[in-house]
Protein backbone atom coordinates (compact mmCIF):
# COMPACT_ATOMS: atom_id res chain seq x y z
CA UNK A 1 0.00 0.00 0.00
CA UNK A 2 1.32 3.47 -0.86
CA UNK A 3 -0.09 6.59 0.78
CA UNK A 4 0.59 10.21 1.59
CA UNK A 5 -0.27 12.23 4.66
CA UNK A 6 1.40 10.05 7.29
CA UNK A 7 3.18 13.08 8.77
CA UNK A 8 6.77 13.72 9.74
CA UNK A 9 9.36 10.96 9.58
CA UNK A 10 12.41 10.08 11.61
CA UNK A 11 14.95 10.86 10.38
CA UNK A 12 13.47 13.73 8.37
CA UNK A 13 14.02 14.36 4.67
CA UNK A 14 13.85 17.57 2.67
CA UNK A 15 10.72 18.25 0.63
CA UNK A 16 11.16 16.91 -2.88
CA UNK A 17 13.99 14.55 -1.89
CA UNK A 18 14.01 11.04 -3.27
CA UNK A 19 13.99 8.32 -0.63
CA UNK A 20 17.06 6.26 -1.48
CA UNK A 21 16.61 3.61 1.20
CA UNK A 22 13.96 2.20 3.52
CA UNK A 23 13.95 3.14 7.18
CA UNK A 24 12.47 6.64 7.26
CA UNK A 25 9.57 5.75 9.53
CA UNK A 26 6.56 7.97 10.29
CA UNK A 27 6.63 9.39 13.81
CA UNK A 28 2.93 8.54 14.19
CA UNK A 29 1.90 4.90 14.52
CA UNK A 30 0.03 3.73 11.41
CA UNK A 31 -2.88 1.34 11.71
CA UNK A 32 -4.74 -0.15 8.77
CA UNK A 33 -8.23 -1.66 8.77
CA UNK A 34 -9.96 -3.69 6.07
CA UNK A 35 -13.71 -3.98 6.57
CA UNK A 36 -13.15 -2.84 10.17
CA UNK A 37 -10.60 -5.58 10.90
CA UNK A 38 -7.14 -4.36 11.99
CA UNK A 39 -4.30 -5.71 9.87
CA UNK A 40 -0.73 -6.36 11.02
CA UNK A 41 1.57 -3.66 9.64
CA UNK A 42 4.88 -5.31 8.74
CA UNK A 43 6.59 -2.12 7.51
CA UNK A 44 5.66 1.54 7.34
CA UNK A 45 8.26 3.94 6.02
CA UNK A 46 9.98 5.43 3.04
CA UNK A 47 9.27 4.04 -0.40
CA UNK A 48 12.74 3.85 -1.97
CA UNK A 49 12.88 5.56 -5.36
CA UNK A 50 9.80 7.71 -4.68
CA UNK A 51 9.50 11.23 -3.31
CA UNK A 52 9.71 11.91 0.40
CA UNK A 53 6.12 12.10 1.59
CA UNK A 54 5.07 8.82 -0.01
CA UNK A 55 4.81 6.13 2.65
CA UNK A 56 5.01 2.45 1.79
CA UNK A 57 2.98 0.18 4.06
CA UNK A 58 3.47 -3.60 3.92
CA UNK A 59 0.54 -5.51 5.38
CA UNK A 60 -0.33 -9.05 6.23
CA UNK A 61 -3.73 -9.89 4.77
CA UNK A 62 -5.69 -12.48 6.74
CA UNK A 63 -7.13 -15.56 5.04
CA UNK A 64 -10.61 -14.17 5.71
CA UNK A 65 -10.00 -11.68 2.87
CA UNK A 66 -10.40 -14.14 0.03
CA UNK A 67 -9.41 -13.38 -3.55
CA UNK A 68 -12.30 -12.44 -5.79
CA UNK A 69 -14.65 -11.67 -2.90
CA UNK A 70 -15.31 -8.27 -4.44
CA UNK A 71 -14.33 -5.00 -2.88
CA UNK A 72 -13.24 -4.24 0.66
CA UNK A 73 -13.25 -1.01 2.63
CA UNK A 74 -9.77 0.20 3.60
CA UNK A 75 -9.10 2.83 6.29
CA UNK A 76 -5.72 4.08 7.53
CA UNK A 77 -5.24 5.67 10.94
CA UNK A 78 -2.25 7.85 11.85
CA UNK A 79 -1.91 9.65 15.17
CA UNK A 80 -5.52 8.87 16.00
CA UNK A 81 -6.91 10.42 12.80
CA UNK A 82 -8.64 8.18 10.26
CA UNK A 83 -8.67 8.48 6.50
CA UNK A 84 -11.83 8.48 4.49
CA UNK A 85 -12.77 4.91 3.56
CA UNK A 86 -11.43 3.71 0.24
CA UNK A 87 -12.80 0.80 -1.80
CA UNK A 88 -10.14 -1.67 -2.86
CA UNK A 89 -10.50 -4.75 -5.04
Amino acid sequence: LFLTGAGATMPGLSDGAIADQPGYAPLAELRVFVDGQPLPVLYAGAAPGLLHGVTQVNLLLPASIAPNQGSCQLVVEAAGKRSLPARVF
Side-chain angles (χ1 to χ4, degrees), residues 3-4 8 10 14-15 18-19 21 26 30 32 35 37 40 47-48 52 58 64-65 68-69 81:
L3 55 94
T4 61
M10 184 53 132
S14 301
D15 285 344
I18 301 292
Q21 61 187 1
L30 290 180
V32 180
D35 289 339
Q37 179 179 352
H52 171 62
N58 298 351
S64 62
I65 300 175
N68 302 319
Q69 78 175 34
K81 303 214 186 270

Side-chain angles (χ1 to χ4, degrees), residues 6-14 23-28 44-47 52-55:
T9 62
M10 184 53 132
L13 284 173
S14 301
Y24 296 91
L27 292 175
H52 171 62
V54 175
T55 300

Side-chain angles (χ1 to χ4, degrees), residues 1 3 29-44 57-61 73-78 82-83:
L1 172 67
L3 55 94
E29 177 188 7
L30 290 180
R31 297 175 63 198
V32 180
F33 302 86
V34 169
D35 289 339
Q37 179 179 352
L39 300 181
V41 174
L42 303 176
Y43 170 79
V57 181
N58 298 351
L59 306 165
L60 183 62
L61 296 176
Q73 184 180 38
L74 180 116
V75 174
V76 177
E77 182 181 281
R82 287 189 170 213
S83 69

